[in-house]
Structures are given as C-alpha cells and as structure tokens.
Amino acid sequence: MSVVPLAAAGVRLQVAVDAPQHSGISGPLDYLSERLLAPGTLVRVPLGRRELTGIVWPGGAESAGVPLEVHDLRPVGPALDDLPPLSAAWCALVSFTAAYYQRSIGEVALSVLPPALKELDAKQLQARLKKLAKWEAAEVSQPGTPSSPPSLPTLSPAQAEVLAQLDALLLSAGKDGAQAPVLLYGVTGSGKTEVYLRAAEHALQAGRQVLVLVPEINLTPQLEARFGERFAGRRIVAMHSGLTPAQRLKHWLSAHLGQAELVLGTRLAVFASMPRLGLIVVDEEHDPSYKQQDGARYSARDLAVYRAHLEKVPVLLGSATPSLESWQRAQPVSPTAEGRQPATTPAAGQAVLGSGPANAMRGRYRLLKLPERIGGGAMPRVRLFDMNSLERKTGVTTAISAPLLQALRLRLERGEQSLIFLNRRGYAPVLHCGECNWKSECAHCSAYRVFHKGDRTLRCHHCGFTERVPRACPNCGNLDIAPLGRGTERLEEQLAQMLPGARVARIDADSTRLKGSLETQLNAVHAGEVDILVGTQMITKGHDFRRITLVAAVNPDAALFSSDFRAPERLFALLMQAGGRAGRDAAQAARSEMWVQTWHPQHALFQALVKHDFEAFAKSQLAERESAGLPPFAHLALLRAEARTVEAAQAFLEAAALQAQTLPDATHVLVYPPVPMSVARVANVERLQMLIEAGHRVALQRLLAQWIPELHALKRAHKGVLRWAVDVDPLAI
C-alpha cells in the first residue's frame, strides 16, 4: 500500500476521547491539526469508524516538524471555536480524578460534560449560545430584585466568629497558595446554612462564583429556594440528574461562560466549569451519596477538597456528624506525630487527600464549631426504650409500642407534628408461608422481593423483577401467606388504624416517584397539614420542619452488627440527623424528644446518642479503627468481578491476586482472598470482590497503576467474566 505524505507539516495535538474501558486506552490520543488549538477546546475527531467529541488536552501540542504519513496521525475535525476552552484547572481536576480512581482521562472528561453538548456541531452551538444570551438579557431586564434588601437574621457569636475566619480566607483566595480545608462542625439547627449564605455573599461581592454541593437531589430545591430568596437578582443554576438534557446544557453553559454566579448541585456538579470560582461549600459532607457507585467511582467531597487546592480557594465542609476521615484530619497534631513523614513521597494532590499514617494527617483541616442551636434552643431529649423489657411486659407485636403510641396521642392533642423514621420502604421485606417455609425470594438475585401492598406486587429492589402477589403459596398451595417484618407502607397503615383521624403521610422512594410529588408532600408538612410523617432517610437530613417535636426511630438495630465497618458511623449520623428534625422552633425545643426503640439500649452508639456526643462517638470509633487497621488508619481498594458463574468470577480474581504479587510494589500491599458481595447475585450475575489494603495511599496507588493494564489483558483471557472494576476508597466492604 502506497503512503501519501501530507502536503505540509501540521500540529500534533493530544485529544481526550471516551474510549471503551476494555480498549486499555488510559490517556489522550495523538491527532494532527492544521492549526494550534488551545487546551480545553472541544473538537470532533475520528475514532475507529466513529466520529465523536473530544477535548484538546494540555501538554500535547507540538509542531510535527516534518511531513507525516497519513496513517500515522488522523486529522482532527471541526472545533467548537465559539465555546471558550475548558480551563487548565478543570483539566487538572479531571486528570487527577482519572489517575486516582483508575479510569481513563477521556472517560472522566467526557462523562462529566452535558450529553447534549457532545452532540452539537459549530452551527448548533452558535444557536444555543444566542438563545442563552437572550435568556440572560431577559433575566437582567427583569432581575426580580426586591424593593428593599431582605432582612438578615442576627448572627450568633459562634456564627460571627466562623464568618470572620472565613472572610480572612476569602480575602487571601488565589494569593497565598493553597488553603487548608475548613470543617464546619455544627449541631443540627446551629445555623450552618446561614454561614453558607453569608460566605457566598462575600465571595459574590468579590466578583467570584460559588459552588454549593448537596448530597441528594431532594435537598436541591429547598436550598435553591433559600439561596434564591437571599440572592434575588443573582444568576443561580442547579445541576443534578433531575434536569432535562436541555436544562442541563443551559445551566452548564451559563456557569462555563461565567454568567451563573451560584451553582447548586449534587456530586456531578463538582466538575462544573466555573472560570471565576471563589468558594466551594459541601453541605452534609459525611453523606455517602457523594460517592459515585458506577463508572469512575469518585468521591465528590474529596474532589471538592482537591479542586479548592488547585484553584487556591476556600472549601467549606459542613456537617453535624462529620465523616471520621474529615474529623481525624481536623484534630490537633499529637506530639508523637509531629515531624513524622510518609514513607513514600506523595504524588501531586495525594497529600490533600492524605497519603501516610492517619496520625500524620491530623491538623490538615481547620476545625470551626457551631456548638449551640440558634436562639439557644435545647437539643431534643433522647429516650431509649428497651424492647426486651417492653416485650416481656406488654408482648409487643407492632413497630409502635404502647409508650410511643401514647406520646403520639399527646402531640396530636397539642397540635404538634411527629416524625417516624424507618429506613425500609415497602409494606414488608418478605412474604412467608408458615406451612412449607416458602419466602418471596427473587429468582434472579440472592435477595427477597419486597411486598408492596399498594399495587399488590412483589418487587426486587435490586434487579426490578416484579410480579403480582400470588393467591396462594407457589410451593405448597397454602392460602395463608403472610408478610414478615415492616416497611414504611405497613407502618403508615398501622398508624392510621391506631390513631383514627390523624393525618398520616409517607415520604419514601415509592411515594415520591412522580415528578413534583416530593415538593408537594414537603409543602404539606410545612403548612401543618400533616400530623405524623413516616419515612426513610429521605426525611432525616436537611429539612427544616418547624412543628415537629417528636422523632421516633422504630427499628435501627440492623446496622449495629453489620460486617461493614462503616455501618455504625452511618447509623449514628442518620439518627443524629433524624433527631435534629425535632425542636427546631426554639419555643418548642424544651419539650422536643427523640425516641429510639432498640433491643440493645446499652450499646455504646446509643449511649453517645443520648448525650448528643458526636465527639465521644468519633473518638471511640477511631480507636476501634486504629486497632483493627481500618480507614483512616489504612487505605483500601476493592477489585470487583461479575460473571455468569461464581467459578468464573473467582478464577479471575484469584489470577489477578497472583498477578499482583509479581508487581514491584506488591510488598507494601496486602491482597485478601475473593469473597461474595453482600448481595452476591443480581439479575443472574454473580458478584465477587477482593480487598486490597495498604498502610500508605501512595503505595496503593502505585500498585493499582501497575496492575490495571494487566487486568485488561487478564479479562480477555477469562471469557466468562462480564465486567470488572476497581473501587478506590470504597464506602462498603
């Protein structure tokens, strides 16, 4: 085959493209351009037989110098010149994410852009930008600025002190190098949101943009309303999965062009392109929803910290129950840890996340506290009810004990609201036949199908397999099949039967499935149209319910003895957040209570909960983690494999373990034998995982970087394996 040289030398560019994972492509690809394109420019490029959108990546542009052969480098296609390039800091954030979480640069870079943006050509982009300009002009002509500025609440002394320290950080943003992340530890109702609002106001006054992250989509509208009320006339956009493709594109462009001054969003918003970023806020920083659970399994909280480090701006992590990792990094440096250095030199950015022994990470964050509720209101009194004693005395047969029922009646008489927390949706977790012991197992998963009484279905919450409830036991024909256990649907029914006339509402993933239903139900609660609110963790965090004086957790014990070492931390945070919904009105705080019905009232977790003592709980948990060699005193990754058979998945993981032992950094890392995941089979796919542990984050990262390319080849040799993935810093093991 004859080779035809190009007529003239061009420019070699590196372009990040979203190549399939199995291709083994981890970095940008080389292309030829007739002209120099700025890094961050979006271009169309050929890849195989397809043409797709790519991003010109920093560090790869150079003159070809000599004529190149046509088959050496393929030419780039049209560039979206009307769109300002993505910034160097944005590209650096993506590069770090890809390296740290062991994914390709192109996969991360393209997956965090609006899908509609990747489908536009230059002419379509021009039309979109014209529409956006008209939208902006219309908003400016009718800014909605109130006739008088909104009256601001008086700050508590603690709030004023926190803001004074944040102001000092904002003044030095971008000038004095990277700043220490700020952990704002404030009890529920202490006014953390007001601190966010004031800090955002100061950043906006300095001409900067503000990024505010929330853990879940259902918290975005109410926070957006708070910010919209405070900053009428300012451009505020939301970024979350509930937006239409057109909305997501419009909001992204508004932020990228510097028109949007405030961006509120869930974890994906950490990648929002913001050229004048001046402040990052991460609300409820402890929440596990910040961890992506598929694709690039990144932590938006950790990336927010790294992004602030890159852009030299303050990052504010707020929580009433901080994650133990953040809490550890905010503790004073102990004398024995002073001067201690990590055994290996951290790569760029890894020192921000922590690279060595956890004691060496102490003092990395600045700790600011809001120890009291606004108005001096008391925290709700926590009462533990020993279900062992109640069972002996009264023969408890429902989730609502006699004392709790009486407490609910008292609130009804006083016109107050109550919240009942049960973190299990559906009517009952399983249907059961007493004759032959049949249970409603899923045919495709190693799990039970949940009984939903409203539509008379048995539904698997893992694969979605749904069937009508059988008239009789499918195994023996017994007509008497009964629900075992309770979910929120059954609890709602029981409360309506026990308290006739009470207005009972339920908020969970089933009752809020329709668009707008969550907002409607929350508005009813705020308006006083609900007496008793039943729900899952959706109702326990972030909501400012002013009329609730009683919160009851009716079945919290399941997490106490979980094999997952993080389960107690999550449970404590959940219960603290749930209890924080009570007594938010200072006038009612003195008589507000949280009731916990438990079979283990002497457990240390509940004893700390009674005292609202997060610090004691964190200290005990960190001591347990240190003795067991668990995070933050060790660094973990999981290698997961999915296959049609257990044998295929296990063979792949065992071969991977043998391969890891041959790598140069294997001596610093411990690889455990493969085990089934907590739900071992989903949709007829068997799932196994293998834990990798290291004392230093850098040692773990080096091993993974050496191992990943080998795993691609290993997968090709094990035809029975459908998928494999590495999860760095997993939340559950």
Side-chain angles (χ1 to χ4, degrees):
M1 182 181 70
S2 61
V3 177
V4 182
L6 292 177
V11 175
R12 181 185 290 115
L13 298 178
Q14 286 193 325
V15 180
V17 295
D18 189 3
Q21 184 184 13
H22 61 76
S23 67
I25 298 174
S26 60
L29 301 177
D30 287 333
Y31 286 90
L32 189 68
S33 174
E34 294 180 352
R35 59 190 175 101
L36 185 64
L37 295 174
T41 301
L42 268 67
V43 293
R44 298 290 292 179
V45 294
L47 182 66
R49 297 181 179 179
R50 300 178 296 154
E51 184 180 87
L52 67 169
T53 296
I55 304 172
V56 177
W57 212 248
E62 60 180 37
S63 172
V66 295
L68 297 175
E69 297 177 348
V70 170
H71 69 267
D72 281 341
L73 293 180
R74 302 179 72 178
V76 300
L80 298 185
D81 290 318
D82 289 323
L83 192 70
L86 293 155
S87 70
W90 187 91
C91 293
L93 175 67
V94 167
S95 292
F96 174 78
T97 304
Y100 186 81
Y101 294 103
Q102 303 297 326
R103 311 296 292 196
S104 73
I105 286 178
E107 176 193 9
V108 175
L110 277 302
S111 67
V112 301
L113 295 179
L117 178 65
K118 294 176 284 187
E119 299 170 1
L120 297 180
D121 58 28
K123 186 175 181 180
Q124 291 169 329
L125 175 63
Q126 288 178 351
R128 291 279 186 172
L129 292 176
K130 287 180 180 178
K131 286 184 181 180
L132 183 63
K134 291 180 180 178
W135 176 59
E136 293 289 340
E139 292 291 328
V140 170
S141 65
Q142 297 179 341
T145 304
S147 55
S148 59
S151 58
L152 302 181
T154 302
L155 295 176
S156 69
Q159 286 177 310
E161 173 61 25
V162 165
L163 279 167
Q165 297 196 44
L166 289 175
D167 282 345
L169 294 176
L170 286 167
L171 286 173
S172 63
K175 301 175 183 177
D176 301 330
Q179 302 175 348
V182 174
L183 178 61
L184 179 60
Y185 165 50
V187 300
T188 54
S190 61
K192 292 187 293 295
T193 302
E194 183 61 30
V195 170
Y196 304 157
L197 289 165
R198 299 288 183 104
E201 179 183 9
H202 298 169
L204 294 174
Q205 289 172 349
R208 310 301 293 268
Q209 293 173 294
V210 176
L211 172 62
V212 181
L213 298 181
V214 294
E216 294 183 13
I217 188 173
N218 62 60
L219 297 179
T220 307
Q222 66 180 40
L223 196 65
E224 191 174 5
R226 287 284 301 274
F227 273 82
E229 180 182 3
R230 180 65 60 88
F231 300 114
R234 299 275 192 178
R235 169 70 58 242
I236 303 175
V237 299
M239 290 188 181
H240 53 74
S241 60
L243 301 176
T244 66
Q247 288 173 324
R248 184 175 169 187
L249 175 60
K250 182 172 74 171
H251 293 185
W252 187 91
L253 288 171
S254 183
H256 176 66
L257 297 173
Q259 297 165 347
E261 297 170 284
L262 283 146
V263 173
L264 308 178
T266 50
R267 60 177 176 263
L268 186 63
V270 75
F271 293 102
S273 175
M274 303 173 69
R276 295 181 287 108
L277 183 62
L279 172 68
I280 303 176
V281 175
V282 184
D283 189 27
E284 309 291 1
E285 69 89 29
H286 67 278
D287 198 287
S289 298
Y290 282 122
K291 186 70 155 60
Q292 176 81 3
Q293 294 301 323
D294 53 28
R297 291 166 167 82
Y298 62 86
S299 164
R301 178 201 64 206
D302 293 348
L303 290 182
V305 170
Y306 184 67
R307 183 170 188 179
H309 167 79
L310 278 174
E311 308 215 30
K312 298 180 175 58
V313 301
V315 57
L316 180 58
L317 311 176
S319 178
T321 54
S323 65
L324 292 182
E325 284 83 357
S326 295
W327 184 254
Q328 172 75 357
R329 290 170 192 158
Q331 298 310 297
V333 177
S334 61
T336 56
E338 289 182 356
R340 183 180 298 169
Q341 297 296 324
T344 51
T345 303
Q350 291 180 355
V352 178
L353 299 183
S355 58
N359 284 333
M361 299 302 106
R362 296 168 70 100
R364 295 288 180 108
Y365 290 5
R366 178 180 298 190
L367 179 62
L368 302 180
K369 294 184 179 182
L370 295 174
E372 296 180 354
R373 284 187 151 186
I374 293 298
M379 295 294 290
R381 176 190 176 196
V382 178
R383 301 180 63 185
L384 304 180
F385 285 84
D386 186 351
M387 297 301 287
N388 299 285
S389 176
L390 288 173
E391 183 184 44
R392 289 192 297 270
K393 292 179 181 177
T394 62
V396 176
T397 58
T398 71
I400 306 297
S401 64
L404 177 55
L405 186 61
Q406 182 57 34
L408 292 170
R409 289 196 179 104
L410 177 61
R411 266 64 185 186
L412 287 171
E413 292 169 2
R414 295 201 303 229
E416 298 167 0
Q417 293 175 322
S418 301
L419 184 153
I420 311 296
F421 166 58
L422 176 62
N423 208 24
R424 176 177 285 163
R425 61 189 175 101
Y427 189 84
V430 63
L431 277 185
H432 171 253
C433 173
E435 291 292 326
C436 68
N437 207 34
W438 170 86
K439 292 182 176 67
S440 53
E441 295 177 343
C442 178
H444 311 292
C445 305
S446 52
Y448 294 116
R449 286 176 294 163
V450 176
F451 172 37
H452 290 260
K453 189 176 181 180
D455 57 6
R456 299 292 298 174
T457 61
L458 293 174
R459 191 182 312 159
C460 178
H461 290 176
H462 298 281
C463 73
F465 177 56
T466 302
E467 285 185 329
R468 299 288 296 173
V469 173
R471 295 179 179 272
C473 172
N475 194 40
C476 70
N478 175 31
L479 295 175
D480 188 18
I481 52 176
L484 286 181
R486 290 170 185 83
T488 49
E489 190 180 350
R490 189 176 191 182
L491 191 57
E492 177 189 26
E493 179 186 88
Q494 290 177 340
L495 285 166
Q497 293 170 351
M498 293 175 169
L499 299 167
R503 298 170 297 177
V504 182
R506 171 170 54 92
I507 293 182
D508 57 25
D510 297 317
S511 68
T512 58
R513 189 172 298 154
L514 298 178
K515 184 176 178 61
S517 58
L518 175 60
E519 290 79 6
T520 299
Q521 293 186 60
L522 288 175
N523 289 337
V525 178
H526 291 301
E529 298 168 3
V530 172
D531 298 316
I532 303 174
L533 177 61
V534 177
T536 56
Q537 63 179 349
M538 288 177 64
I539 60 174
T540 64
K541 43 194 171 184
H543 302 292
D544 189 20
F545 299 127
R546 310 301 296 182
R547 295 179 173 88
I548 287 179
T549 60
L550 174 65
V551 171
V554 296
N555 186 23
D557 289 349
L560 291 177
F561 308 104
S562 169
S563 59
D564 182 1
F565 72 93
R566 294 188 193 272
E569 178 185 0
R570 286 197 293 267
L571 176 60
F572 188 84
L574 205 52
L575 293 177
M576 284 280 284
Q577 295 286 338
R581 299 316 103 200
R584 299 180 76 86
D585 186 336
Q588 298 177 333
R591 61 175 181 270
S592 295
E593 294 182 327
M594 179 183 189
W595 289 30
V596 180
Q597 295 185 163
T598 173
W599 300 90
H600 305 278
Q602 299 305 317
H603 195 283
L605 184 149
F606 293 131
Q607 294 303 310
L609 183 69
V610 167
K611 301 174 184 177
H612 297 281
D613 197 344
F614 167 78
E615 297 190 33
F617 172 77
K619 184 177 181 179
S620 66
Q621 282 290 297
L622 285 169
E624 289 184 16
R625 298 268 189 97
E626 185 170 22
S627 64
L630 292 169
F633 302 92
H635 303 284
L636 306 179
L638 283 173
L639 174 60
R640 296 190 173 104
E642 299 182 358
R644 290 298 179 190
T645 66
V646 172
E647 293 76 15
Q650 183 154 346
F652 171 80
L653 292 177
E654 289 175 346
L658 290 174
Q659 200 169 55
Q661 294 173 11
T662 67
L663 299 174
D665 285 293
T667 55
H668 303 294
V669 177
L670 180 61
V671 179
Y672 289 85
V675 295
M677 293 179 63
S678 57
V679 181
R681 188 177 79 259
V682 172
N684 293 320
V685 173
E686 301 293 343
R687 312 190 307 164
L688 277 75
Q689 64 186 21
M690 190 164 63
L691 182 67
I692 305 101
E693 175 188 311
H696 293 271
R697 195 185 298 272
V698 174
L700 178 63
Q701 286 289 318
R702 286 178 174 169
L703 177 86
L704 293 176
Q706 298 162 6
W707 202 16
I708 297 295
E710 305 297 330
L711 292 176
H712 287 292
L714 193 64
K715 159 70 167 57
R716 290 190 287 270
H718 287 73
K719 302 298 184 182
V721 175
L722 301 174
R723 291 173 293 273
W724 64 269
V726 170
D727 186 357
V728 180
D729 300 338
L731 285 188
I733 61 173

